[in-house]
């Protein structure tokens, strides 16, 4: 589900000023975080959901460099649950992917492709929210 559909489904309109594009490259994730954190305090987000845990690590870095305390002023959620996010301070709340299931499905897909009988070329895998210390309720309404 795209973020726009998910927001609409829950009666929330997307604010394009709060959507920034980063990628797996740390410099783009860091720049995207800085763009958000340099907004006026009343406009700045109280939480950031990063594309992946490496992006979330760069949000931590940007927040600290901007004097923003975690999680009191900014909650952060990542995606993947990679090492060392459980050991960060505060430990990162994240979405865990079933990497073992993904790997098995990829192998099955390769074997099916070699035999010329690919039935499905996309998959939706279950995820799990891993609640840690990087998220709290926002301080302002």
């Amino acid at each position: 589900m795209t973020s726009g559909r998910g927001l609409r489904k829950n009666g929330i309109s997307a604010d394009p000023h709060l959507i920034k594009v980063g990628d797996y490259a740390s410099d783009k994730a860091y720049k995207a975080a800085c763009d958000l954190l340099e907004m006026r305090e009343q406009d700045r987000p109280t939480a950031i959901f990063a594309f992946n845990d490496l992006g979330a690590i760069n949000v931590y870095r940007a927040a600290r460099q901007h004097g923003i305390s975690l999680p009191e002023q900014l909650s952060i959620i990542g995606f993947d649950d990679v090492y060392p996010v459980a050991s960060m301070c505060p430990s990162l709340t994240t979405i865990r992917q079933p990497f073992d299931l993904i790997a098995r499905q990829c192998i099955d897909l390769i074997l099916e492709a070699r035999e010329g009988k690919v039935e499905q070329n996309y998959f939706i895998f279950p995820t799990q929210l891993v609640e840690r210390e990087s998220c709290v309720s926002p301080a302002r309404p």
Side-chain angles (χ1 to χ4, degrees), residues 13-32:
S13 60
D15 181 345
H17 295 97
L18 297 177
I19 299 171
K20 300 296 178 188
V21 177
D23 61 16
Y24 288 103
S26 62
D27 56 335
K28 289 184 181 180
Y30 174 76
K31 174 71 171 100

mmCIF file of all heavy atoms in Angstrom, residues 13-32:
data_model
loop_
_atom_site.group_PDB
_atom_site.id
_atom_site.type_symbol
_atom_site.label_atom_id
_atom_site.label_comp_id
_atom_site.label_asym_id
_atom_site.label_seq_id
_atom_site.Cartn_x
_atom_site.Cartn_y
_atom_site.Cartn_z
ATOM 1 N N SER A 13 -4.695 13.458 5.668
ATOM 2 C CA SER A 13 -4.193 13.990 4.405
ATOM 3 C C SER A 13 -2.673 14.145 4.497
ATOM 4 O O SER A 13 -2.142 14.525 5.531
ATOM 5 C CB SER A 13 -4.857 15.329 4.077
ATOM 6 O OG SER A 13 -4.591 16.268 5.091
ATOM 7 N N ALA A 14 -2.004 13.824 3.418
ATOM 8 C CA ALA A 14 -0.540 13.916 3.376
ATOM 9 C C ALA A 14 -0.112 15.362 3.192
ATOM 10 O O ALA A 14 -0.675 16.084 2.384
ATOM 11 C CB ALA A 14 0.004 13.066 2.236
ATOM 12 N N ASP A 15 0.877 15.785 3.957
ATOM 13 C CA ASP A 15 1.464 17.110 3.814
ATOM 14 C C ASP A 15 2.749 16.948 2.992
ATOM 15 O O ASP A 15 3.720 16.377 3.475
ATOM 16 C CB ASP A 15 1.782 17.698 5.184
ATOM 17 C CG ASP A 15 2.368 19.096 5.112
ATOM 18 O OD1 ASP A 15 2.807 19.525 4.015
ATOM 19 O OD2 ASP A 15 2.393 19.772 6.161
ATOM 20 N N PRO A 16 2.756 17.425 1.744
ATOM 21 C CA PRO A 16 3.927 17.221 0.895
ATOM 22 C C PRO A 16 5.215 17.829 1.454
ATOM 23 O O PRO A 16 6.304 17.388 1.110
ATOM 24 C CB PRO A 16 3.538 17.865 -0.434
ATOM 25 C CG PRO A 16 2.364 18.723 -0.141
ATOM 26 C CD PRO A 16 1.704 18.178 1.091
ATOM 27 N N HIS A 17 5.098 18.808 2.341
ATOM 28 C CA HIS A 17 6.290 19.411 2.950
ATOM 29 C C HIS A 17 6.964 18.458 3.936
ATOM 30 O O HIS A 17 8.117 18.649 4.293
ATOM 31 C CB HIS A 17 5.928 20.721 3.653
ATOM 32 C CG HIS A 17 5.459 21.774 2.711
ATOM 33 N ND1 HIS A 17 4.128 22.023 2.476
ATOM 34 C CD2 HIS A 17 6.145 22.607 1.901
ATOM 35 C CE1 HIS A 17 4.015 22.974 1.577
ATOM 36 N NE2 HIS A 17 5.228 23.354 1.203
ATOM 37 N N LEU A 18 6.222 17.448 4.384
ATOM 38 C CA LEU A 18 6.766 16.501 5.363
ATOM 39 C C LEU A 18 7.223 15.200 4.728
ATOM 40 O O LEU A 18 7.640 14.282 5.426
ATOM 41 C CB LEU A 18 5.717 16.213 6.444
ATOM 42 C CG LEU A 18 5.311 17.417 7.291
ATOM 43 C CD1 LEU A 18 4.212 17.029 8.269
ATOM 44 C CD2 LEU A 18 6.509 18.011 8.018
ATOM 45 N N ILE A 19 7.152 15.110 3.409
ATOM 46 C CA ILE A 19 7.598 13.914 2.706
ATOM 47 C C ILE A 19 8.902 14.252 1.989
ATOM 48 O O ILE A 19 8.941 15.133 1.131
ATOM 49 C CB ILE A 19 6.534 13.430 1.699
ATOM 50 C CG1 ILE A 19 5.246 13.077 2.448
ATOM 51 C CG2 ILE A 19 7.065 12.235 0.913
ATOM 52 C CD1 ILE A 19 4.066 12.795 1.542
ATOM 53 N N LYS A 20 9.964 13.592 2.390
ATOM 54 C CA LYS A 20 11.280 13.829 1.804
ATOM 55 C C LYS A 20 11.790 12.526 1.220
ATOM 56 O O LYS A 20 11.526 11.452 1.749
ATOM 57 C CB LYS A 20 12.278 14.339 2.855
ATOM 58 C CG LYS A 20 11.858 15.641 3.509
ATOM 59 C CD LYS A 20 11.806 16.775 2.518
ATOM 60 C CE LYS A 20 11.344 18.061 3.174
ATOM 61 N NZ LYS A 20 11.094 19.114 2.237
ATOM 62 N N VAL A 21 12.531 12.638 0.148
ATOM 63 C CA VAL A 21 13.048 11.451 -0.527
ATOM 64 C C VAL A 21 14.516 11.270 -0.185
ATOM 65 O O VAL A 21 15.328 12.155 -0.387
ATOM 66 C CB VAL A 21 12.864 11.571 -2.061
ATOM 67 C CG1 VAL A 21 13.466 10.363 -2.761
ATOM 68 C CG2 VAL A 21 11.394 11.719 -2.403
ATOM 69 N N GLY A 22 14.807 10.106 0.363
ATOM 70 C CA GLY A 22 16.186 9.693 0.599
ATOM 71 C C GLY A 22 16.341 8.376 -0.134
ATOM 72 O O GLY A 22 15.472 7.970 -0.900
ATOM 73 N N ASP A 23 17.420 7.707 0.063
ATOM 74 C CA ASP A 23 17.577 6.372 -0.491
ATOM 75 C C ASP A 23 18.560 5.627 0.387
ATOM 76 O O ASP A 23 18.813 6.008 1.517
ATOM 77 C CB ASP A 23 17.982 6.398 -1.964
ATOM 78 C CG ASP A 23 19.302 7.095 -2.209
ATOM 79 O OD1 ASP A 23 20.073 7.311 -1.249
ATOM 80 O OD2 ASP A 23 19.578 7.427 -3.365
ATOM 81 N N TYR A 24 19.138 4.583 -0.134
ATOM 82 C CA TYR A 24 20.077 3.810 0.665
ATOM 83 C C TYR A 24 21.372 4.553 0.938
ATOM 84 O O TYR A 24 22.116 4.197 1.824
ATOM 85 C CB TYR A 24 20.375 2.475 -0.031
ATOM 86 C CG TYR A 24 19.213 1.526 0.029
ATOM 87 C CD1 TYR A 24 18.396 1.333 -1.082
ATOM 88 C CD2 TYR A 24 18.918 0.832 1.187
ATOM 89 C CE1 TYR A 24 17.325 0.464 -1.033
ATOM 90 C CE2 TYR A 24 17.844 -0.036 1.251
ATOM 91 C CZ TYR A 24 17.052 -0.226 0.143
ATOM 92 O OH TYR A 24 16.001 -1.070 0.201
ATOM 93 N N ALA A 25 21.648 5.600 0.183
ATOM 94 C CA ALA A 25 22.874 6.375 0.378
ATOM 95 C C ALA A 25 22.733 7.262 1.610
ATOM 96 O O ALA A 25 21.765 7.992 1.750
ATOM 97 C CB ALA A 25 23.168 7.221 -0.856
ATOM 98 N N SER A 26 23.695 7.199 2.491
ATOM 99 C CA SER A 26 23.594 7.917 3.757
ATOM 100 C C SER A 26 23.541 9.431 3.583
ATOM 101 O O SER A 26 22.886 10.117 4.353
ATOM 102 C CB SER A 26 24.740 7.533 4.678
ATOM 103 O OG SER A 26 25.981 7.881 4.099
ATOM 104 N N ASP A 27 24.214 9.979 2.569
ATOM 105 C CA ASP A 27 24.211 11.430 2.408
ATOM 106 C C ASP A 27 22.829 11.939 2.024
ATOM 107 O O ASP A 27 22.396 12.999 2.487
ATOM 108 C CB ASP A 27 25.259 11.867 1.390
ATOM 109 C CG ASP A 27 25.113 11.203 0.031
ATOM 110 O OD1 ASP A 27 24.545 10.094 -0.046
ATOM 111 O OD2 ASP A 27 25.572 11.801 -0.956
ATOM 112 N N LYS A 28 22.074 11.200 1.229
ATOM 113 C CA LYS A 28 20.726 11.638 0.856
ATOM 114 C C LYS A 28 19.757 11.515 2.033
ATOM 115 O O LYS A 28 18.909 12.380 2.237
ATOM 116 C CB LYS A 28 20.216 10.848 -0.339
ATOM 117 C CG LYS A 28 20.924 11.206 -1.619
ATOM 118 C CD LYS A 28 20.336 10.487 -2.805
ATOM 119 C CE LYS A 28 21.088 10.858 -4.069
ATOM 120 N NZ LYS A 28 20.552 10.175 -5.236
ATOM 121 N N ALA A 29 19.882 10.462 2.811
ATOM 122 C CA ALA A 29 19.024 10.301 3.985
ATOM 123 C C ALA A 29 19.329 11.393 5.011
ATOM 124 O O ALA A 29 18.411 11.974 5.603
ATOM 125 C CB ALA A 29 19.232 8.917 4.599
ATOM 126 N N TYR A 30 20.590 11.688 5.204
ATOM 127 C CA TYR A 30 20.985 12.739 6.130
ATOM 128 C C TYR A 30 20.448 14.093 5.671
ATOM 129 O O TYR A 30 19.887 14.851 6.454
ATOM 130 C CB TYR A 30 22.509 12.772 6.258
ATOM 131 C CG TYR A 30 23.011 13.926 7.088
ATOM 132 C CD1 TYR A 30 22.901 13.901 8.472
ATOM 133 C CD2 TYR A 30 23.574 15.045 6.489
ATOM 134 C CE1 TYR A 30 23.343 14.961 9.244
ATOM 135 C CE2 TYR A 30 24.021 16.110 7.242
ATOM 136 C CZ TYR A 30 23.906 16.063 8.623
ATOM 137 O OH TYR A 30 24.327 17.122 9.374
ATOM 138 N N LYS A 31 20.585 14.401 4.389
ATOM 139 C CA LYS A 31 20.098 15.675 3.846
ATOM 140 C C LYS A 31 18.588 15.777 3.986
ATOM 141 O O LYS A 31 18.052 16.828 4.358
ATOM 142 C CB LYS A 31 20.518 15.792 2.371
ATOM 143 C CG LYS A 31 19.946 16.996 1.642
ATOM 144 C CD LYS A 31 20.554 18.291 2.101
ATOM 145 C CE LYS A 31 20.150 19.446 1.224
ATOM 146 N NZ LYS A 31 19.093 20.285 1.728
ATOM 147 N N ALA A 32 17.862 14.681 3.705
ATOM 148 C CA ALA A 32 16.406 14.681 3.842
ATOM 149 C C ALA A 32 16.012 14.943 5.293
ATOM 150 O O ALA A 32 15.094 15.724 5.571
ATOM 151 C CB ALA A 32 15.824 13.351 3.361
#
